Amino acid sequence: MRLLAGLTMSALLATGLLAATPAMAAVPVDFSADSGDSCRRGITEGTLERYDGPVVRPLVNVEGLLSDSARPTVCNPDEMYSTASFSAYRGKDLVDSETYKADDEQIKFAFSLSDSTGVRIIDRVVVQVCRYSNSPVGISYCGSAQEYKIP
């Protein structure tokens, strides 16, 4: 009798694990940030989408583009490039970060931000675009950091 009950429980557990819901995607959040200059030379935009699930560790998929002086403008060309940085947080703790670079071009990117331990769920992402000189001596500046809550 105990053997039958144990087999039945094992079968139910296996069925439950096989029927577990797949990773759930939240509603995508649109993001955008720029370098803060009047010419809007550095711009990034795209979507942030959180995935949670019983098998997949919690993560935020980031998909978008970074543009550096790639759009038509009346401004003179400069010898600078743009970076877009993405910082993922759980409360006040930095969980993960990623940075992309473009120099007089428009690049597409797609990557994931997640806690390396797979435990902490990201609740906000901060996006910032900065511009740096291509020469060893030069100026650099950043636009305002944009914070996005991840539902």
Side-chain angles (χ1 to χ4, degrees):
M1 185 71 163
R2 283 188 176 185
L3 179 62
L4 182 59
L7 290 174
T8 303
M9 289 301 290
S10 296
L12 287 173
L13 180 60
T15 302
L17 288 175
L18 291 175
T21 57
M24 298 298 294
V27 176
V29 174
D30 292 333
F31 72 83
S32 68
D34 64 64
S35 56
D37 53 46
S38 60
C39 291
R40 294 178 46 93
R41 293 184 188 270
I43 300 170
T44 188
E45 54 193 10
T47 58
L48 306 166
E49 191 169 10
R50 188 174 86 195
Y51 284 87
D52 297 328
V55 178
V56 177
R57 72 187 202 188
L59 57 90
V60 173
N61 283 334
V62 182
E63 199 171 316
L65 60 91
L66 170 62
S67 177
D68 175 70
S69 300
R71 297 180 181 185
T73 180
V74 297
C75 297
N76 291 330
D78 64 359
E79 294 297 319
M80 299 182 80
Y81 63 91
S82 296
T83 63
S85 62
F86 300 84
S87 301
Y89 293 88
R90 174 65 182 182
K92 293 182 181 182
D93 297 331
L94 179 64
V95 173
D96 196 4
S97 64
E98 189 80 32
T99 301
Y100 281 82
K101 175 184 172 182
D103 192 1
D104 294 334
E105 63 185 336
Q106 188 173 64
I107 63 161
K108 291 183 179 183
F109 51 78
F111 61 93
S112 296
L113 297 166
S114 68
D115 178 23
S116 61
T117 64
V119 176
R120 295 179 290 183
I121 295 174
I122 296 167
D123 60 10
R124 65 189 171 98
V125 174
V126 176
V127 182
Q128 188 170 34
V129 175
C130 295
R131 302 206 69 238
Y132 299 95
S133 175
N134 280 321
S135 67
V137 178
I139 65 166
S140 65
Y141 58 90
C142 296
S144 298
Q146 304 297 312
E147 182 176 307
Y148 295 93
K149 303 270 189 229
I150 305 301

